Structure formats: structure tokens, C-alpha cells
Amino acid sequence: MKTLYTRIVVTFIVIAMVSSILALLLSNSYYLAKLRDKNEEQIWKITNEIRTLYEQVPDLEPATYFTHIANLGFQLYAVNDRMEGTYYGTPFKHTQIDPEQIRLVLSGETYRGVLQEHHFLMVTGFFEDSLRNSIGVPIQVKGKPYALFVRPNLEQQIGGVRILMAFLLGLTFLFSIILIIIFSQYIVKPIKKLTEATKRIVGGNFEITMDVSRQDEIGELARDFTYMTQSLQQLDNMRQEFVGNVSHEIQSPLTSIQGFAQSILDKETSEEEKERYLHVILEESKRLSSLSKQLLTLASLDKESHVIKRSVYRLDEQIRQILIVTEWQWNEKEIEIELELPETDILADAQLLHQVWLNFITNSIKFSRPGDTLRIEIQKLETEILIQFSDTGIGIPEAELPHIFDRFYKADKARNRARSGSGLGLSIAQKITRLHHGRIDVQSKVDKGTTFTVRLPRL
């Protein structure tokens, strides 16, 4: 049973067989509880009627009388006091009976074999064509004692019905197996398609079409599989784009470093040019170092191997410390800082959130014009804390807003490399915020400014 199809077929056949066995056992219990005594009582009454009717017309020829009774659908066996017996009607299939039982009936007792017979399945006793499975009564024939054993001839009475029922049950079981074999294919067929689709995905082919119109579990599985395929394709595209972006971000500063280093080695540059080239090499090296650190941070956050070390600390003080560290940057551009930072305690990872606030502040400074304003505000709501960073800088085009958190995405493709950064800062900020069960909202208008709102759960 290696294939699902074989297992389903065998399972259904076993179910059919087990169901038949259970039905037989229940029928046996019902026969014992309701039918056996009633059936035996009916045969007992018929046997007594046969005896009574004969005793009312004792001059009637016994053989003729018993033959007519047998023709009505009964099996009879009459035994005289010399233990000589005669069968009337269809002979019993099994004629074994204890002679002592016959002598007891001859002496005036009765024999009720329907109740005395015992089988593994008692319901089969109803159909057993056996002399032991009969009713025996004493009867006087021509003044001599006889033992008369009577049983309904089921072959004659309901033989056609028995054959019809057996034929019906046999065909039902046979057709059930055939239909199970046929329709099991319809159950297994979509599973086979899913298996084939899985193999194609492993081979890198994501162009897969599944039947998602079914409104059952298979249809739901197909829809989920299609969604998974689309997600895998998107992930693969992102992976390829990510590799391309990383290669580009690394190759560009390396090319600059190699070019300027070669120019210095050629000894054809002046001292002033050498100093300028060395500054460029230093800045590009810093960018490479920053890029590698950000990539490592993203890798750690993606694996969620970075354990969040939560502690209670003053959020407002943390933001003020970052402003002090970046003071030379916003002072250089004469940016006006507006603060509304009430005393706020928060339970979070201070080191991770430091990266978030530093990213928003440096971005606001970077993309603000001289004389612009940066406003930082903390609002304490009932269930969350809002931290807003609003600047009056150059803003972000509306079409770019859905993509600003994508890795390596840069809204302003025209910016020079010194100002544009790696395009990873907002991705890291969003990942850290989500790890703290928060979210980031952004609003922006070109030439009017940008507002980032970070929502974090309250302590």
C-alpha cells in the first residue's frame, strides 16, 4: 500500500467489510432479543394446529394428510414407537437427532429444538435446515403413538426472496467496490496534481495553475497552495533582487576604493589629491562597514534569533541622548528642533529601539533643507505610546510610500551615494517595531515634509 489511491481503496473495502460484520452482529443481537422466541412460538402453534386437525379426523389416511400439510410449505418427520421414521415434503438437509429426544416425544413430552439449538451466530439458526432445529410433539396415528417433528420449509416459502436478497446484497457489495475504485481516483487526482506542482516548484518553476473553484477541503488546499506558490515566487524574486542589491551596494564602493587606491599608487597625483582620495576611501570603507553591520542585523532579526532584552527605561531621555549625539548634524544644517517629550517609561529593548530612533532622526536631518524643522513628540494613549517624527523636508512621492520599507529601496534615485545610504534603515526599523508588537505609519507630501508615527504597547 505505497500509493494514496491504493490506501483509499483498501480502506473503503475494509470499511465495507467491517460494516457488514457489525451489521451481522447487530442483526444477531436483534434476532435473539426480538425474533427467536416469536419465531419459535409461531412454529409451535402451527405444529399444534397440525396435530389437533389430524386428531379431529382420525380416519384420514396419515400419509395423505401429512403430504398435504408438507405441500403447504412444511417439512415433517413422523416416527413410530419402533423408531421407524418417514419424511413428508422436502427431506431435512441434516437428519441427525438424538434418539433419546425422539423417545421422550413418543412418551408424551415435547421437543422445542428452535430454542435449544446454539450457534456462534444464532440468526443463522433461523435458516438451518436441520431436524434438530424443529418442533416435536406426540401424536396418535391409528391408535399408535408417533413423534411428529415439524419445521417450515423456508426454501419453499421464501426461497425466491432469499436468492433475491443474496443477489441484491452481493451486487451491492460488488458495485460498491467498483465505485470506490473509480471515484477514489477523483479524490487522489488533485493530490497527484499538487505533488506534480510541488516537484515543479522544487525545480524553480512557479508558473502553476490549480483548480481553486472547488468548495471543499481539496479546493481550500489548492487555494492555499496557490497562495503559497505566489509567496514563494515573490520570495524568490526578493531573494534575487536582494542579492543583486547587495552586490551593487558592495561593488560600487569597492570600485571607488580600488580606483582611488590605484591612482595613489601610480604616484601621479598631488598631495592634495592624495588627501582627498584617502578621505573618499575612508568614507567608502565606513559605508561598507555600516552596510555589513546592517546586513548582519537584518539576518539576526529575520531568524528571530535576536533575543529581545526588555527592560523598563525612560523613552524620552533616550531620544534626547540621540539628539545630543547628532547635534553637530542638525546644527550644521541649522535645523530647528521642537520637542514635546513628557516623562515616559517603556518596557522594551533599549538597544534595538535606539537604532529605530537614530534612523528616523538621521533620515529627517539628511532629507531636510537648511532652516527646516524637526518635531519629535511622544503621546501616551490608554493602550499604546505614539512617537512621532515630523520634518518639513523634501518629502516622499505618494507612489513611493508603499515601498519605502522594502530592503534596498531608495525613493530618490537621483540622490548621490553619500546622501542616499544603503536603503536598509527603514527595513530594520520596521522589523524591530514588529518584534515589539508595534507598527509604523507614514504620511508625506513632496516639498512639505514627512511624518513617521511609531505605535508601541504601553507598559
Side-chain angles (χ1 to χ4, degrees):
M1 295 198 300
K2 293 184 178 181
T3 66
L4 179 62
Y5 174 73
T6 304
R7 291 182 180 182
I8 290 176
V9 171
V10 172
T11 299
F12 277 131
I13 293 175
V14 170
I15 289 174
M17 295 176 64
V18 171
S19 299
S20 300
I21 294 173
L22 290 176
L24 183 60
L25 292 175
L26 289 175
S27 299
N28 183 70
S29 299
Y30 181 75
Y31 173 76
L32 286 174
K34 300 290 184 180
L35 298 181
R36 188 177 69 159
D37 291 344
K38 184 177 180 181
N39 177 56
E40 195 273 343
E41 186 65 29
Q42 289 178 345
I43 300 174
W44 172 254
K45 288 181 179 179
I46 292 172
T47 303
N48 281 314
E49 287 295 328
I50 294 173
R51 179 177 62 178
T52 303
L53 181 61
Y54 178 77
E55 290 177 347
Q56 289 179 355
V57 284
D59 297 333
L60 189 63
E61 180 62 32
T64 303
Y65 175 73
F66 291 143
T67 300
H68 283 296
I69 294 297
N71 292 337
L72 293 176
F74 294 94
Q75 295 171 281
L76 282 75
Y77 180 60
V79 185
N80 59 23
D81 55 356
R82 296 189 299 274
M83 301 296 288
E84 298 173 347
T86 304
Y87 291 97
Y88 298 94
T90 304
F92 289 90
K93 185 175 182 180
H94 302 285
T95 59
Q96 297 86 359
I97 189 172
D98 187 357
E100 185 61 27
Q101 293 288 352
I102 299 177
R103 293 189 182 93
L104 290 174
V105 175
L106 287 171
S107 64
E109 297 187 17
T110 59
Y111 173 70
R112 307 184 78 154
V114 176
L115 295 178
Q116 295 177 13
E117 284 292 288
H118 296 283
H119 306 81
F120 175 70
L121 290 174
M122 295 301 297
V123 68
T124 59
F126 179 76
F127 302 99
E128 182 185 353
D129 186 6
S130 170
L131 183 58
R132 292 181 302 183
N133 191 31
S134 64
I135 298 293
V137 294
I139 186 173
Q140 293 292 323
V141 178
K142 300 295 184 177
K144 296 181 179 181
Y146 273 72
L148 179 66
F149 295 89
V150 179
R151 172 173 172 76
N153 187 351
L154 297 180
E155 183 67 29
Q156 182 178 346
Q157 293 184 5
I158 60 172
V161 176
R162 289 171 61 189
I163 295 174
L164 179 62
M165 289 300 297
F167 188 69
L168 177 64
L169 291 175
L171 286 180
T172 300
F173 188 75
L174 177 63
F175 284 129
S176 298
I177 293 176
I178 294 174
L179 292 176
I180 287 169
I181 293 173
I182 294 174
F183 286 105
S184 293
Q185 296 180 357
Y186 291 94
I187 299 176
V188 177
K189 188 176 181 180
I191 305 298
K192 289 183 177 179
K193 288 185 177 180
L194 285 173
T195 304
E196 294 173 0
T198 303
K199 293 178 180 178
R200 292 170 61 186
I201 290 176
V202 172
N205 182 6
F206 297 98
E207 299 298 326
I208 296 170
T209 302
M210 302 296 298
D211 182 11
V212 297
S213 60
R214 295 178 56 153
Q215 299 300 317
D216 55 7
E217 289 79 359
I218 298 295
E220 184 177 356
L221 178 61
R223 286 189 289 273
D224 291 341
F225 188 87
T226 302
Y227 176 75
M228 182 196 70
T229 303
Q230 295 171 350
S231 299
L232 287 174
Q233 185 174 17
Q234 183 180 7
L235 184 63
D236 187 64
N237 294 336
M238 290 174 62
R239 179 185 60 81
Q240 295 179 13
E241 184 180 358
F242 181 80
V243 172
N245 286 329
V246 170
S247 300
H248 175 74
E249 290 294 329
I250 293 177
Q251 185 63 36
S252 296
L254 282 177
T255 302
S256 299
I257 291 172
Q258 291 172 354
F260 287 119
Q262 187 64 48
S263 297
I264 295 174
L265 289 174
D266 289 342
K267 300 180 180 180
E268 296 179 359
T269 56
S270 63
E271 290 298 324
E272 182 180 346
E273 288 177 328
K274 286 182 180 180
E275 184 177 354
R276 182 163 60 85
Y277 291 167
L278 287 173
H279 278 295
V280 172
I281 291 173
L282 178 62
E283 290 301 319
E284 291 298 306
S285 299
K286 289 180 178 179
R287 291 189 67 253
L288 280 176
S289 177
S290 175
L291 176 62
S292 65
K293 290 179 180 178
Q294 289 180 321
L295 287 173
L296 288 173
T297 300
L298 270 178
S300 174
L301 294 174
D302 283 340
K303 292 180 181 178
E304 296 188 357
S305 60
H306 191 108
V307 179
I308 298 181
K309 301 175 182 178
R310 297 180 184 270
S311 61
V312 178
Y313 69 94
R314 286 277 297 277
L315 176 61
D316 55 303
E317 288 296 331
Q318 184 182 45
I319 295 176
R320 288 191 181 94
Q321 288 297 324
I322 296 174
L323 287 171
I324 293 173
V325 172
T326 58
E327 182 176 1
W328 67 273
Q329 298 180 39
W330 48 268
N331 267 335
E332 185 180 20
K333 298 183 75 169
E334 298 180 349
I335 295 175
E336 182 179 350
I337 304 295
E338 295 181 359
L339 301 177
E340 188 173 340
L341 304 176
E343 182 177 324
T344 305
D345 291 329
I346 189 172
L347 176 63
D349 190 315
Q351 183 178 357
L352 289 180
L353 287 186
H354 183 277
Q355 297 184 57
V356 177
W357 316 139
L358 180 61
N359 179 78
F360 287 134
I361 291 173
T362 54
N363 277 352
S364 295
I365 295 172
K366 187 185 300 182
F367 303 122
S368 291
R369 295 156 297 204
D372 281 340
T373 301
L374 170 60
R375 176 178 175 81
I376 305 175
E377 178 182 358
I378 294 178
Q379 297 181 28
K380 294 189 288 185
L381 304 181
E382 184 176 351
T383 59
E384 59 185 3
I385 299 174
L386 271 60
I387 306 97
Q388 288 186 332
F389 299 84
S390 303
D391 64 63
T392 57
I394 62 176
I396 304 172
E398 185 177 355
E400 308 287 352
L401 288 177
H403 307 288
I404 61 174
F405 294 104
D406 295 344
R407 297 175 184 185
F408 293 104
Y409 189 83
K410 301 172 185 179
D412 188 356
K413 307 293 191 302
R415 297 193 191 109
N416 60 62
R417 296 186 56 81
R419 293 179 58 197
S420 61
S422 65
L424 293 175
L426 287 178
S427 297
I428 294 174
Q430 186 185 56
K431 186 68 178 179
I432 292 173
T433 303
R434 286 179 176 174
L435 288 175
H436 283 80
H437 307 293
R439 77 172 193 268
I440 301 175
D441 299 326
V442 59
Q443 295 177 330
S444 184
K445 289 186 178 180
V446 177
D447 293 329
K448 291 188 177 181
T450 303
T451 298
F452 284 95
T453 303
V454 180
R455 299 173 179 270
L456 295 173
R458 284 199 65 167
L459 182 63

